[in-house]
Amino acid sequence: MDITKLLKPHKIAIVGASEKTGFGGDTCRNVMRYMTEGSCYFVNPRRGEVFGRKAYPSISDLPEPIDTVVICTPQSTVEDLLREAAAKGAGGAVVFASGYKEVGTEEGRAAQERLAALCRELDMALMGPNCAGFVNYVDMVYPFAFLSADRDRRGSVGMVSQSGQLCLSLMDSPSMRFSYVISSGNCAVVEMEDYLDFLVDDPDTRVVALYLEGVKNPAKFVSALRKAALKRKPIVVLKAGRSEKGAKQAASHTGSLAGADRVFDALFAKFGVVRVNDLEELLYTAQMFSVLPRLPERPAFASMNLSGGETGICADMGEAAGIEYPDFAPETLAKLREQLPGYASPANPLDMTASLSYDTELYAGAVRTVMSDPGVGMVLVGYTLLEEIADPAIEYMAPALERVSREPGAKPMAMLPFVGNTRNQKYLDMLEGCGVVMLPPPVYAFRILRYLADFIRYDSADHNLDVAVPERPRGGARCSLGEHEGKLLARRFGLSVPAEEVARSEEEAAAAARRIGFPVVMKIDSPDILHKSDCGCVKVNVRDAAAAGEVYRQIVFNAQKHHPDARINGILVQQTAQPGTEMIIGVASDPSFGPTVLVGLGGVFVEVFKDTALCLAPVSRAEAMSMAASLKGAKLLRGYRGAPALDMDGFVDAVLAVSDLAVHYKDTILEMDFNPVFLYEKGTCAVDAVVVSSAPLE
Amino acid sequence: MDITKLLKPHKIAIVGASEKTGFGGDTCRNVMRYMTEGSCYFVNPRRGEVFGRKAYPSISDLPEPIDTVVICTPQSTVEDLLREAAAKGAGGAVVFASGYKEVGTEEGRAAQERLAALCRELDMALMGPNCAGFVNYVDMVYPFAFLSADRDRRGSVGMVSQSGQLCLSLMDSPSMRFSYVISSGNCAVVEMEDYLDFLVDDPDTRVVALYLEGVKNPAKFVSALRKAALKRKPIVVLKAGRSEKGAKQAASHTGSLAGADRVFDALFAKFGVVRVNDLEELLYTAQMFSVLPRLPERPAFASMNLSGGETGICADMGEAAGIEYPDFAPETLAKLREQLPGYASPANPLDMTASLSYDTELYAGAVRTVMSDPGVGMVLVGYTLLEEIADPAIEYMAPALERVSREPGAKPMAMLPFVGNTRNQKYLDMLEGCGVVMLPPPVYAFRILRYLADFIRYDSADHNLDVAVPERPRGGARCSLGEHEGKLLARRFGLSVPAEEVARSEEEAAAAARRIGFPVVMKIDSPDILHKSDCGCVKVNVRDAAAAGEVYRQIVFNAQKHHPDARINGILVQQTAQPGTEMIIGVASDPSFGPTVLVGLGGVFVEVFKDTALCLAPVSRAEAMSMAASLKGAKLLRGYRGAPALDMDGFVDAVLAVSDLAVHYKDTILEMDFNPVFLYEKGTCAVDAVVVSSAPLE
């Protein structure tokens, strides 16, 4: 859907223009402050004038065509007004009214469906309903229903929020500057995904900030993320629903499907999307990307401070956040020893001592030295800039930073304050003007720097971006394959499994065991019995033909006793796999984003430590390798306590086989579990398999 | 040392009073602003007047005795001035000058020692040198060397900082209010521990905030912490040195011994000290304790917000921080359904919707309902109070909160803003005036609330507070006991060990094995061979007398081959312990705070997951139990996968035995390792022991 006319209109009309408090009045107040009279008409049948501007009795009475209509009046008036606006040429509409799907009643849902159908009929790009409107700071279009303090907010952060209240909070932050602020509301017509796509394309937007409650159009969402990943435009997302209570809250709030939160983590990891935890992180992270003149070439930081205490905080907090402070090169240290007072001991993080901060030339010299260190990607200047300047150090430091920032070979810089407060506007503007990012206090700052480091490290080429979004809604059935059938299927996609046969009599069991070679493992093969060991349906170490026959009888007896209704394919006679390190490879299918592949070390590692990694299918080789490396128990794979290292390439092959299988059946497979997969010095062997789908697999 | 005269002087003299920038001038500027003329004399031999106040040529010329002298002049003048001040009655002195121990030279160290000796001779309580002075906000005494914005900062947070720069940063925070701010400097005479002790006793100080680089006087430090724990006065500490780089930084900065950081965590846990990560946390945590009219009765929170997005953030961030949001009782839900609009769905965290926030009566009603829920200990009101008020909701909300706060049975409340900014002073004062805490934005806020919850849960009765601080410096030697001797020692303190004997010939080995019962384990017993298995010096499953003789020869041969110089006590013949769950109990002795006891699950749990818990000795039963419960693998002890639960009381007995042993030898034991200790359904058995001390154990 083309939403250019909606977001970049030449002429708009405010219907319900008023001087009272409320949507109509507050929108007029905003429009009056930020838009010229010619770009915006007021409509109110009961008033000739609003705030001294002419008010027209109806849309039809407007002197020229409009692009976008902004409807401040109640729900009951909306449909007629949309028809009238369409007749006047409008291709965009903003509807503030509530009473639609968000109220959770049948009536509300019906009203929203009617509204959507009307817009489709009129070819109208509608924002809302139940939204707060938008601000286009590029062309200064301001149909926004909430008031905030008067201030120049023009910048390059494009913001979409599924909550109007949070939009407003973000605008309230004194350091935030935008290209667009969009309160998307119920998304009856234009979807959040459309706004996202618009901002990813928009040349005036350097970074997209998104407050997300849920995704209704996964394919469109993924396509916008892919586009951003490939052009390396940062997307910063605050997504509600990490906790169970938060997920419930998000679902009830906009009626969107919250989805499994961990799947969103996997999705964002695939596309290099920065996921943050609260508004403050959202705004400072976005602002950082918009102020930085360019990304640091490496995710490695130098920290320069005026006191030992501050240097210690930067050291501790940086390490805790996983920030890399490379040791300075010998020539850097030598030069710093010349530049700093004798009692300073140069290191990274660096205590410069306060003495340099009162001399622009000396200070600039030290910054230059640190910046020229080959290991450093970005320089962090520790200094608490306050609104009211008591200590004049900044008068010397700020010009030094400005000067250095303009020199050839300058590296990105940020200023890190140690206490929270509003910052002095003059110096804030001066510093941000030359690309020095103003960070929030340390707990926030180091999280944000970690996001930056992760973004720098992200390379879209490492990831398979063709997410297997399901194309059809899945059926409601649950079909399980028997273990043997599951393994046969997985083997077709390249997974190594032990030699095995299904026997249907004692004699067949004995014969199969002889062919396979003793000792064998014998198990029930039934789609209806998942926990085979619990009911005596698995026997290991079956040593000869006579035992095989006896075990056959036993297992059939136990199966019939504990699961009288189970369908039984037979008894699986299986080669005894050499013992190896137990891994698990699993698949769960997300209804929105398709199959996710999970890997972990088996046994207590999964069960007690929950030590697993997740990736949305299809999984690339690099993704599979990094999943394995991210496990807390990964050191057990790399030759633990003198044991030989395990076959990580072989393990990756196994993961890719499972991923291929999951992608092939993306519309039907619900879950798969290969547990354990033995991992050896050379090769792997999946000794058990559970495959569940929503329809028989073709 | 009595430091009352220093910190609560009636008359002070500023030596080096001046109008220039620098210590003398800035101290005078501070004093002029905040102190009356009669309480403070200026001394300057070269000027008759400073800022219009009379300046005396020397201390001797002052018209009356003084309590405290503030020396703003350089190092070379200090000693004579101290003598002169002592003669004039001064019992306290503040010395700003640097050039002492902090410069790291022999000369600096000597100067500091001379200064300390002089003060002892004069019985003078000296603050510094190399400090920024202090402010006593209770009596308005202001000998502080740094300027900050003019503002009323009187409150009840007592602050001690080992960094002057950080003091200043804390004073810069607009919401911080103090009883005392003390920049302790090098602590040549009055130690940080003395200030801490003073503030713990001080009735005007409700909470102590401490920026700590190291502890020089562990016994005095522990005694102050104990006093605070018993009177339940909160101590909030920012301690540098969590990271390796931070620890190095702290050590180089004030020359204090940083100490193992994890030992500080254990120390703080024992005394309920709140440890924070940066200045912002330090100040907001301290401020919270000083504003709260009383501690919440339970560490359980209700969160009330005006929008779904904000509610989702509170749900997610609260869960991540380990905050408890109890489900509301049915009667609370029923009442909220009456009070809130129809589309709201009451839950905790609660989205009240914005509609209530414009009606004081309705809003107060909803707060009352939430507050009266029996599960709720404290109420969190989500609202972004800004300096410039655009949305008038606060005009209705603030009076509602004020009214409810004064009603009988009111519970503690805090306001949680969603973006960082300076807060409107009028409403800040109004809210804090009625005990409503103003929190920083969520990432900080929920960490701080977690500190509060932990402080509420802390009960000094659960802890053994008689920390075994070593009384003598330890010798430099390292003596190891043989395994058998180590176990005999531990058995005296109550640890269960297997039956075992040391054999000194093949015949003795066979005879011992017969007495003990086959199969036995045989090991080298030598204080010089720690890794016995690696060199073939351990044999398990020795099944008969002949084998015992043969194994004896083998082990002796292997020991002599791999460790030709080792002292060999003999071969330990040991009962084969029943296999159990492998635990470890270890001890390491901290030179400052004495023995620490470590427990963990053995094997990969310790080696891969570093899953251990630490407690300073002596360990109480409750401490031992909570150490075991805090292990990530704790669920393996409680009857994992249908196995019987293990004997936790028996395990606690074992931990206490090791703790008693460590305390008994607190001046000599360096480290001990009982690994593994088998833990059974009933009882324990320590099958190996390593004991290392700095002198032979008596």
Side-chain angles (χ1 to χ4, degrees):
Chain A
M1 172 168 275
D2 184 19
I3 57 175
T4 313
K5 212 168 187 183
L6 168 66
L7 294 179
K8 296 177 89 65
H10 298 289
K11 305 280 174 183
I12 70 173
I14 313 288
V15 181
S18 143
E19 295 180 7
K20 293 187 203 147
T21 300
F23 286 149
D26 292 346
T27 304
C28 288
R29 280 180 193 87
N30 277 323
V31 159
M32 301 279 300
R33 235 197 239 163
Y34 300 109
M35 294 180 75
T36 61
E37 190 153 357
S39 60
C40 178
Y41 294 107
F42 288 169
V43 175
N44 187 332
R46 284 188 298 273
R47 304 192 47 150
E49 257 190 10
V50 171
F51 291 121
R53 289 194 189 183
K54 179 174 170 58
Y56 295 84
S58 75
I59 300 173
S60 322
D61 294 317
L62 294 176
E64 58 176 337
I66 55 170
D67 300 304
T68 284
V69 61
V70 181
I71 300 179
C72 308
T73 51
Q75 187 179 18
S76 58
T77 65
V78 170
E79 293 180 27
D80 288 343
L81 289 168
L82 286 174
R83 284 202 183 80
E84 211 182 331
K88 201 75 187 179
V94 177
V95 174
F96 298 143
S98 54
Y100 294 89
K101 201 174 170 190
E102 81 284 356
V103 296
T105 61
E106 198 40 62
E107 216 180 333
R109 256 190 301 278
Q112 183 154 329
E113 271 164 37
R114 223 164 40 237
L115 183 68
L118 175 63
C119 288
R120 275 194 298 276
E121 183 196 319
L122 301 174
D123 194 23
M124 179 84 87
L126 178 138
M127 178 179 291
N130 184 35
C131 74
F134 72 96
V135 187
N136 163 349
Y137 287 97
V138 178
D139 311 298
M140 282 317 279
V141 183
Y142 215 112
F144 194 68
F146 292 150
L147 295 174
S148 51
D150 188 13
R151 174 170 81 65
D152 182 6
R153 294 185 178 81
R154 283 170 303 175
S156 58
V157 175
M159 169 80 206
V160 186
S161 173
Q162 290 182 320
S163 154
Q165 180 75 32
L166 292 195
C167 266
L168 184 61
S169 296
L170 285 164
M171 293 168 69
D172 282 337
S173 172
S175 50
M176 196 72 176
R177 294 165 170 278
F178 304 94
S179 53
Y180 291 84
V181 171
I182 297 165
S183 156
S184 64
N186 289 9
C187 293
V189 179
V190 182
E191 295 177 310
M192 173 276 293
E193 295 83 353
D194 296 303
Y195 301 119
L196 176 63
D197 191 63
F198 173 88
L199 293 173
V200 169
D201 282 332
D202 176 47
D204 295 309
T205 298
R206 291 191 65 200
V207 44
V208 182
L210 181 59
Y211 168 71
L212 185 66
E213 293 184 335
V215 170
K216 282 187 196 160
N217 192 328
K220 211 191 272 179
F221 190 64
V222 162
S223 140
L225 298 189
R226 186 194 295 113
K227 203 191 288 176
L230 294 175
K231 68 198 291 193
R232 227 171 154 59
K233 184 181 276 197
I235 297 181
V236 187
V237 175
L238 171 59
K239 185 191 164 296
R242 262 196 212 275
S243 65
E244 203 190 316
K245 291 184 174 194
K248 239 187 243 173
Q249 169 56 41
S252 80
H253 189 224
T254 46
S256 36
L257 190 67
D261 192 72
R262 229 186 140 190
V263 174
F264 276 96
D265 278 334
L267 179 72
F268 295 155
K270 209 177 218 345
F271 291 99
V273 170
V274 178
R275 181 173 187 175
V276 298
N277 293 289
D278 73 353
L279 284 183
E280 190 81 346
E281 285 189 10
L282 181 64
L283 73 91
Y284 274 103
T285 307
Q287 181 66 4
M288 171 182 66
F289 281 115
S290 83
V291 169
L292 275 180
R294 64 208 156 276
L295 284 180
E297 277 174 28
R298 61 187 71 223
F301 299 84
S303 164
M304 309 176 69
N305 305 284
L306 302 185
S307 83
E310 295 172 347
T311 306
I313 291 172
C314 288
D316 289 353
M317 308 271 317
E319 182 177 290
I323 288 300
E324 188 195 337
Y325 293 123
D327 287 334
F328 287 140
E331 52 275 26
T332 310
L333 291 172
K335 207 147 181 208
L336 284 173
R337 269 188 217 101
E338 285 169 28
Q339 293 175 307
L340 301 186
Y343 53 91
S345 34
N348 185 18
L350 177 65
D351 174 10
M352 300 178 70
T353 80
S355 57
L356 259 62
S357 63
Y358 297 94
D359 186 314
T360 296
E361 205 40 68
L362 288 180
Y363 188 77
V367 174
R368 260 183 222 115
T369 302
V370 166
M371 203 174 257
S372 66
D373 189 282
V376 169
M378 180 162 174
V379 177
L380 308 177
V381 175
Y383 177 81
T384 305
L385 175 62
L386 298 172
E387 189 162 24
E388 240 178 292
I389 307 287
D391 173 1
I394 188 67
E395 295 168 23
Y396 304 90
M397 292 169 67
L401 296 175
E402 189 173 40
R403 192 182 307 166
V404 174
S405 77
R406 305 206 190 288
E407 290 168 0
K411 291 177 180 172
M413 294 186 276
M415 182 168 277
L416 175 73
F418 293 94
V419 301
N421 202 343
T422 302
R423 312 291 163 204
N424 181 280
Q425 196 65 41
K426 174 185 146 196
Y427 287 109
L428 183 62
D429 290 345
M430 177 173 173
L431 290 167
E432 291 201 341
C434 62
V436 178
V437 174
M438 182 60 66
L439 292 166
V443 168
Y444 277 107
F446 284 101
R447 293 167 81 128
I448 289 167
L449 292 171
R450 173 59 189 268
Y451 298 145
L452 174 62
D454 290 344
F455 188 81
I456 298 168
R457 275 191 204 102
Y458 173 82
D459 183 348
S460 60
D462 288 339
H463 300 266
N464 188 328
L465 303 185
D466 298 318
V467 174
V469 174
E471 279 156 31
R472 285 170 288 163
R474 48 167 71 150
R478 275 180 74 88
C479 318
S480 297
L481 296 187
E483 176 180 337
H484 183 59
E485 237 186 316
K487 280 195 220 152
L488 283 182
L489 180 67
R491 200 174 63 183
R492 272 174 34 213
F493 287 82
L495 195 67
S496 301
V497 298
E500 60 183 35
E501 297 179 28
V502 177
R504 288 188 177 75
S505 68
E506 293 170 41
E507 294 69 31
E508 276 186 36
R514 260 191 301 261
R515 275 190 297 274
I516 287 166
F518 292 101
V520 293
V521 177
M522 293 174 64
K523 306 173 178 173
I524 194 75
D525 191 70
S526 161
D528 301 321
I529 303 178
L530 288 181
H531 301 287
K532 298 184 271 260
S533 321
D534 297 357
C535 55
C537 288
V538 178
K539 298 278 166 183
V540 299
N541 211 13
V542 181
R543 301 202 154 266
D544 56 39
E550 169 59 24
V551 165
Y552 183 97
R553 274 195 306 280
Q554 269 176 26
I555 293 183
V556 169
F557 175 82
N558 287 337
Q560 287 173 339
K561 183 175 149 201
H562 292 99
H563 298 275
D565 299 329
R567 290 162 295 167
I568 295 179
N569 299 331
I571 302 299
L572 192 58
V573 180
Q574 185 179 303
Q575 182 185 22
T576 299
Q578 253 192 289
T581 298
E582 286 189 27
M583 307 294 293
I584 65 169
I585 305 176
V587 168
S589 187
D590 183 78
S592 299
F593 299 106
T596 58
V597 178
L598 173 146
V599 306
L601 280 111
V604 293
F605 293 95
V606 164
E607 290 163 21
V608 177
F609 290 97
K610 313 282 180 222
D611 184 19
T612 60
L614 198 71
C615 183
L616 266 177
V619 178
S620 72
R621 284 203 84 80
E623 286 175 326
M625 197 56 97
S626 103
M627 283 166 90
S630 76
L631 295 174
K632 294 188 211 95
K635 64 169 71 165
L636 294 174
L637 310 177
R638 297 191 202 108
Y640 175 65
R641 300 201 106 192
L646 299 175
D647 180 2
M648 295 315 295
D649 282 325
F651 182 65
V652 166
D653 290 337
V655 174
L656 297 190
V658 172
S659 167
D660 287 349
L661 164 54
V663 170
H664 188 83
Y665 294 107
K666 64 176 178 169
D667 290 322
T668 35
I669 279 189
L670 296 174
E671 54 197 67
M672 296 197 284
D673 209 359
F674 299 95
N675 180 12
V677 176
F678 285 135
L679 175 54
Y680 305 116
E681 275 178 69
K682 188 73 210 137
T684 61
C685 183
V687 298
D688 201 352
V690 173
V691 176
V692 182
S693 59
S694 62
L697 302 176
E698 290 136 30
Chain B
M1 171 167 274
D2 183 18
I3 56 176
T4 312
K5 213 170 188 182
L6 168 66
L7 293 179
K8 296 177 89 65
H10 298 290
K11 306 278 173 183
I12 69 173
I14 314 288
V15 181
S18 144
E19 295 180 5
K20 294 187 206 147
T21 300
F23 286 149
D26 291 346
T27 304
C28 288
R29 280 181 193 87
N30 277 323
V31 159
M32 303 278 301
R33 234 197 240 163
Y34 301 109
M35 293 179 75
T36 62
E37 191 154 356
S39 61
C40 177
Y41 293 107
F42 288 170
V43 176
N44 188 331
R46 284 189 296 275
R47 304 192 46 150
E49 258 191 9
V50 171
F51 292 122
R53 289 196 188 181
K54 179 174 172 52
Y56 295 83
S58 74
I59 299 173
S60 322
D61 295 316
L62 294 176
E64 59 175 337
I66 56 170
D67 300 304
T68 285
V69 61
V70 181
I71 301 179
C72 308
T73 51
Q75 188 180 18
S76 57
T77 65
V78 170
E79 295 181 25
D80 289 343
L81 289 169
L82 287 174
R83 284 200 184 84
E84 212 183 328
K88 201 74 188 180
V94 177
V95 173
F96 298 143
S98 54
Y100 294 89
K101 203 174 169 189
E102 81 284 356
V103 296
T105 61
E106 197 40 63
E107 216 181 332
R109 256 190 301 277
Q112 183 154 329
E113 272 164 34
R114 224 165 39 236
L115 183 69
L118 176 62
C119 289
R120 277 194 298 275
E121 182 197 319
L122 301 174
D123 194 22
M124 179 85 88
L126 179 138
M127 178 179 292
N130 184 35
C131 74
F134 72 95
V135 186
N136 163 347
Y137 287 98
V138 178
D139 311 299
M140 280 319 277
V141 184
Y142 216 112
F144 195 68
F146 293 150
L147 296 174
S148 52
D150 187 14
R151 175 168 82 64
D152 182 7
R153 293 186 178 82
R154 283 171 302 174
S156 56
V157 175
M159 168 80 205
V160 185
S161 172
Q162 290 183 319
S163 153
Q165 180 75 32
L166 292 196
C167 265
L168 185 61
S169 296
L170 285 165
M171 293 167 69
D172 283 336
S173 173
S175 49
M176 195 72 176
R177 295 164 169 277
F178 304 94
S179 54
Y180 291 84
V181 171
I182 297 165
S183 155
S184 65
N186 289 10
C187 294
V189 179
V190 182
E191 294 177 310
M192 173 276 293
E193 295 83 354
D194 297 305
Y195 301 119
L196 176 62
D197 191 63
F198 174 89
L199 293 175
V200 169
D201 281 334
D202 177 46
D204 295 309
T205 297
R206 292 191 64 201
V207 45
V208 182
L210 181 58
Y211 168 71
L212 186 66
E213 293 183 338
V215 171
K216 282 187 197 159
N217 192 327
K220 210 191 274 179
F221 191 65
V222 162
S223 139
L225 298 189
R226 185 194 296 112
K227 203 191 288 175
L230 294 176
K231 68 198 290 193
R232 226 170 156 58
K233 184 181 277 197
I235 297 181
V236 187
V237 174
L238 170 59
K239 186 192 163 295
R242 261 195 213 275
S243 65
E244 204 190 315
K245 291 185 174 195
K248 238 188 245 173
Q249 168 57 41
S252 79
H253 189 225
T254 45
S256 38
L257 189 69
D261 192 72
R262 227 184 143 193
V263 175
F264 276 97
D265 278 334
L267 179 72
F268 296 154
K270 209 176 219 342
F271 292 98
V273 170
V274 179
R275 181 172 188 176
V276 298
N277 292 288
D278 72 353
L279 284 182
E280 191 80 347
E281 284 188 10
L282 181 64
L283 72 90
Y284 274 104
T285 307
Q287 182 66 6
M288 171 181 67
F289 281 116
S290 82
V291 168
L292 274 180
R294 66 207 155 276
L295 285 179
E297 277 174 29
R298 60 187 72 222
F301 299 84
S303 164
M304 309 175 72
N305 305 283
L306 303 184
S307 83
E310 295 172 346
T311 306
I313 290 172
C314 288
D316 289 352
M317 307 271 315
E319 182 177 289
I323 289 300
E324 188 195 339
Y325 292 123
D327 287 334
F328 287 140
E331 51 275 27
T332 310
L333 292 172
K335 208 149 180 206
L336 284 173
R337 268 187 218 102
E338 284 169 29
Q339 292 175 307
L340 301 186
Y343 53 91
S345 33
N348 184 18
L350 176 65
D351 174 12
M352 300 177 71
T353 79
S355 56
L356 258 64
S357 62
Y358 298 94
D359 185 314
T360 296
E361 204 40 68
L362 288 182
Y363 188 78
V367 174
R368 262 182 220 115
T369 302
V370 166
M371 201 173 257
S372 66
D373 189 282
V376 169
M378 179 162 175
V379 176
L380 309 177
V381 175
Y383 176 80
T384 305
L385 175 62
L386 298 172
E387 188 161 25
E388 241 178 292
I389 306 288
D391 173 1
I394 188 68
E395 294 168 24
Y396 304 91
M397 291 168 68
L401 296 176
E402 189 173 39
R403 192 183 306 168
V404 172
S405 76
R406 304 205 190 288
E407 290 168 0
K411 291 177 180 171
M413 294 185 276
M415 183 168 277
L416 175 73
F418 294 93
V419 301
N421 202 343
T422 302
R423 311 292 162 206
N424 181 281
Q425 196 64 42
K426 173 185 147 196
Y427 286 110
L428 183 62
D429 291 345
M430 177 172 174
L431 291 167
E432 291 200 341
C434 62
V436 178
V437 174
M438 182 61 66
L439 292 166
V443 168
Y444 277 107
F446 283 102
R447 293 167 80 128
I448 289 167
L449 292 171
R450 174 59 190 269
Y451 299 144
L452 174 62
D454 290 345
F455 188 82
I456 298 169
R457 275 190 204 102
Y458 172 83
D459 182 348
S460 60
D462 289 339
H463 299 266
N464 188 327
L465 302 185
D466 299 318
V467 173
V469 174
E471 279 157 31
R472 285 168 289 163
R474 48 167 72 147
R478 275 180 75 88
C479 318
S480 296
L481 297 188
E483 175 179 338
H484 183 58
E485 236 186 317
K487 279 194 219 151
L488 284 182
L489 180 67
R491 200 174 62 181
R492 271 174 36 212
F493 287 83
L495 195 67
S496 302
V497 299
E500 61 184 32
E501 297 179 28
V502 176
R504 287 188 178 73
S505 68
E506 293 172 43
E507 295 70 32
E508 276 186 36
R514 260 191 302 260
R515 276 190 297 274
I516 288 166
F518 293 101
V520 293
V521 177
M522 293 174 64
K523 305 173 178 173
I524 194 76
D525 191 70
S526 161
D528 302 321
I529 303 178
L530 288 182
H531 302 288
K532 298 184 271 260
S533 321
D534 297 358
C535 54
C537 287
V538 178
K539 300 278 167 187
V540 299
N541 212 13
V542 180
R543 300 201 154 267
D544 56 37
E550 169 58 23
V551 165
Y552 184 96
R553 273 195 307 281
Q554 268 176 28
I555 292 183
V556 170
F557 176 82
N558 287 338
Q560 288 173 339
K561 183 175 147 200
H562 291 100
H563 299 275
D565 299 329
R567 290 163 295 168
I568 295 178
N569 298 332
I571 302 299
L572 192 58
V573 180
Q574 185 180 304
Q575 182 186 21
T576 299
Q578 253 191 289
T581 298
E582 285 189 27
M583 308 294 293
I584 64 170
I585 305 176
V587 168
S589 186
D590 183 79
S592 299
F593 299 105
T596 59
V597 178
L598 174 146
V599 306
L601 280 112
V604 293
F605 293 96
V606 164
E607 290 163 20
V608 177
F609 291 97
K610 313 281 179 224
D611 184 19
T612 60
L614 198 71
C615 183
L616 266 177
V619 177
S620 72
R621 284 204 85 79
E623 285 175 326
M625 199 54 99
S626 103
M627 283 166 89
S630 76
L631 296 174
K632 294 189 213 97
K635 64 169 73 162
L636 294 174
L637 310 177
R638 296 190 204 109
Y640 175 64
R641 300 202 106 190
L646 299 176
D647 181 2
M648 295 315 296
D649 282 326
F651 182 65
V652 165
D653 289 338
V655 173
L656 297 190
V658 173
S659 168
D660 287 349
L661 165 53
V663 169
H664 188 82
Y665 293 106
K666 64 176 179 169
D667 289 323
T668 35
I669 279 189
L670 296 174
E671 53 197 66
M672 295 197 285
D673 210 0
F674 299 94
N675 180 12
V677 176
F678 285 135
L679 175 54
Y680 305 117
E681 275 178 68
K682 187 73 208 138
T684 62
C685 183
V687 298
D688 201 351
V690 173
V691 176
V692 182
S693 59
S694 62
L697 303 175
E698 290 136 28

